[in-house]
Amino acid sequence: MSQQSTQHLPSYLDENNPGPWGIFLEQVDRVTPYLGELSKWVDTLKRPERILMVDIPVRRDDGSVVHIEGYRVQHNLILGPGKGGVRYHQDVTLSEVMALSAWMSVKNAVVGLPYGGAKGGLRFDPRNFSQTEIERITRRYISEISPIIGTDKDIPGPDVNTNAKTMAWMMDTYAMKNGATAPGIVTGKPISLGGSLGRVEATGRGVFITGMAAAKDAGIAIEGARISIQGFGNVGGTAGRLFAEVGAKVVAVQDHTGNIHNSQGIDTAALTDYVQKHGGVGGFPGAEAISADAFWAVENEILIPAALEGQIHKGNAPSINSKIIVEGANGPTTPEADDILSQKGIIIVPDVLANAGGVTVSYFEWVQNSSSFYWTVEEVNARLEKIMSTAYENVSNTAKQHQVTLRTAAFITACTRILEARELRGLFP
């Protein structure tokens, strides 16, 4: 990490190990030379606007009480209310949530949504808690962060280990505290509570749309193209199914339960059913088990990392044998790996563009809630494809103009939009 970046580390982060926030700062440093006169405002991006840390005491089913640490970070609200999910995971850290909120700022600006970036996280393993305990944790968390959220202030949504049911609890808790139902306080809700059709598969569909555009840009035929996917949940599973439907073949999949490979193609429908029944891809009978190292080395046209951040690093990047990487996860590639992959000529469609389908349809949901007028799934998917395709085209053109990677081009596009707004709005007081 550069000395310039460490100068912008908050005092509560370790200078020697800043975590994901350090990766974001390095990404900002890399894009600064392309911002021209707007670079004078770049420190705006290097400091989160607001950080709220909360203690969640919860009574467990056996009567004992445990305390869980929670966060809500609003990175930048210049372009609109904060938007970003809430994740439940035992490895959540403040640095991670800060970085995720910043990537949301960039992601929203890249696709032109009227949102700023925010993110939330609770550090606990939901597998060790009952549904009633998770409900109590969720409701207390929303109660604690309610002063800084609202339909025009900050709108949470689902993320790792949270889902439509979690969003329903959040919406209800906020309604009970404020004396009125406000469907737009969260997105990713059940359809019956104001959720949007098409939201569940939106992130994976966005990965598919940008992957198709990148393949066309690179002159790669999709018919028969080989796809490797890390993570076969909602994002990876949806993207795999959509690629298979247009003639590509998924040849390798990795998740926390194992690594599988079939050079003739994996039946994505059968794998989806298997994962739902067994909790992961390990042991799937339609493919052979391989090692984690072998997974990264599988030859393919498109690799989709759709798990957690930091999965592609300097240790495995040299063995990656792909033409295009489409980042379904947030922050899956470290800056060191980015350089290695670029030197190998691998095209990377960055997370802030590739996985923006989820927040885009969350925006659609928010718009539908505000008007109480709801769209068909065909309308949702058509609007999503138009926004994602246009965003990819803009970023691709910027990359060609400046002779930079798609990641740098995405950051140029987003940071320019954010900092132009900063300059036009001026400073208060």
Side-chain angles (χ1 to χ4, degrees):
M1 185 174 174
S2 69
Q3 183 177 1
Q4 181 181 357
S5 294
T6 59
Q7 294 173 355
H8 297 277
L9 281 176
S11 59
Y12 41 82
L13 292 185
D14 181 359
E15 179 177 325
N16 297 316
N17 186 24
W21 179 249
I23 293 176
F24 172 74
L25 291 181
E26 189 162 337
Q27 290 170 336
V28 172
D29 286 343
R30 291 183 178 206
V31 78
T32 300
Y34 301 96
L35 299 178
E37 292 188 2
L38 290 174
S39 62
K40 66 185 177 184
W41 293 105
V42 78
D43 281 0
T44 298
L45 303 170
K46 294 185 174 184
R47 293 174 171 83
E49 191 165 322
R50 184 177 291 113
I51 296 173
L52 180 60
M53 299 177 61
V54 297
D55 173 55
I56 311 295
V58 58
R59 191 177 304 280
R60 303 208 63 170
D61 295 340
D62 64 5
S64 63
V65 175
V66 296
H67 291 257
I68 295 169
E69 189 166 278
Y71 311 101
R72 186 67 183 177
V73 177
Q74 295 169 347
H75 171 256
N76 190 282
L77 306 181
I78 288 172
L79 292 176
K83 187 75 192 81
V86 178
R87 63 176 48 186
Y88 294 171
H89 197 274
Q90 62 274 16
D91 296 327
V92 161
T93 65
L94 177 56
S95 172
E96 176 188 41
V97 179
M98 288 167 59
L100 291 168
S101 71
W103 286 321
M104 286 304 302
S105 293
V106 175
K107 186 182 303 183
N108 291 328
V110 163
V111 294
L113 302 182
Y115 284 145
K119 205 74 175 186
L122 279 74
R123 186 161 60 231
F124 79 106
D125 187 345
R127 294 173 296 182
N128 297 331
F129 290 77
S130 70
Q131 281 295 293
T132 55
E133 290 169 338
I134 294 173
E135 180 178 356
R136 290 196 287 271
I137 293 167
T138 299
R139 290 182 180 277
R140 182 60 182 260
Y141 172 72
I142 287 299
S143 178
E144 293 290 344
I145 71 168
S146 62
I148 67 167
I149 64 173
T151 56
D152 57 355
K153 294 197 296 186
D154 183 0
I155 305 117
D159 198 81
V160 176
N161 291 324
T162 56
N163 53 29
K165 180 186 290 185
T166 320
M167 297 304 108
W169 293 334
M170 290 183 179
M171 186 187 84
D172 182 70
T173 303
Y174 188 84
M176 293 302 100
K177 285 184 66 68
N178 290 274
T181 297
I185 184 57
V186 293
T187 59
K189 302 179 295 295
I191 300 298
S192 60
L193 294 179
S196 176
L197 297 172
R199 173 61 185 88
V200 172
E201 65 171 27
T203 305
R205 185 173 289 276
V207 168
F208 167 71
I209 292 168
T210 54
M212 290 284 288
K216 182 179 179 181
D217 241 5
I220 296 173
I222 289 297
E223 182 73 32
R226 296 160 297 180
I227 315 291
S228 290
I229 303 173
Q230 186 202 31
F232 206 75
N234 181 40
V235 178
T238 298
R241 172 178 61 82
L242 292 172
F243 273 113
E245 287 177 358
V246 294
K249 57 182 180 180
V250 175
V251 296
V253 180
Q254 178 192 88
D255 71 4
H256 65 285
T257 66
N259 307 268
I260 60 174
H261 175 252
N262 184 337
S263 61
Q264 301 305 308
I266 296 169
D267 185 331
T268 56
L271 182 58
T272 298
D273 291 340
Y274 182 87
V275 169
Q276 289 174 349
K277 293 175 182 176
H278 298 87
V281 304
F284 178 65
E288 64 174 335
I290 58 174
S291 68
D293 289 342
F295 167 80
W296 293 111
V298 169
E299 187 174 352
N300 57 72
E301 277 66 49
I302 299 176
L303 169 64
I304 302 171
L308 296 173
E309 61 270 5
Q311 299 299 297
I312 301 176
H313 45 76
K314 62 181 180 181
N316 59 16
S319 66
I320 289 177
N321 199 3
S322 308
K323 292 182 171 62
I324 299 172
I325 295 175
V326 187
E327 296 183 333
N330 290 312
T333 310
T334 66
E336 297 91 345
D338 233 358
D339 293 338
I340 294 170
L341 296 169
S342 294
Q343 289 167 6
K344 293 178 68 173
I346 297 175
I347 299 166
I348 302 175
V349 185
D351 51 354
V352 292
L353 171 60
N355 71 22
V359 72
T360 300
V361 177
S362 287
Y363 167 62
F364 296 165
E365 180 177 334
W366 182 68
V367 169
Q368 292 170 85
N369 291 158
S370 66
S371 64
S372 296
F373 183 80
Y374 293 85
W375 308 340
T376 66
V377 69
E378 291 79 13
E379 290 174 313
V380 169
N381 288 341
R383 287 182 165 101
L384 173 63
E385 180 153 10
K386 182 176 181 180
I387 286 178
M388 294 296 292
S389 297
T390 300
Y392 177 87
E393 183 179 354
N394 290 338
V395 169
S396 178
N397 289 339
T398 299
K400 293 168 185 173
Q401 176 187 345
H402 294 283
Q403 293 296 297
V404 296
T405 65
L406 290 176
R407 189 184 313 281
T408 299
F411 270 73
I412 291 172
T413 301
C415 294
T416 297
R417 287 173 176 169
I418 293 169
L419 298 183
E420 280 180 347
R422 170 74 288 163
E423 184 164 59
L424 288 169
R425 288 182 58 164
L427 295 177
F428 174 84

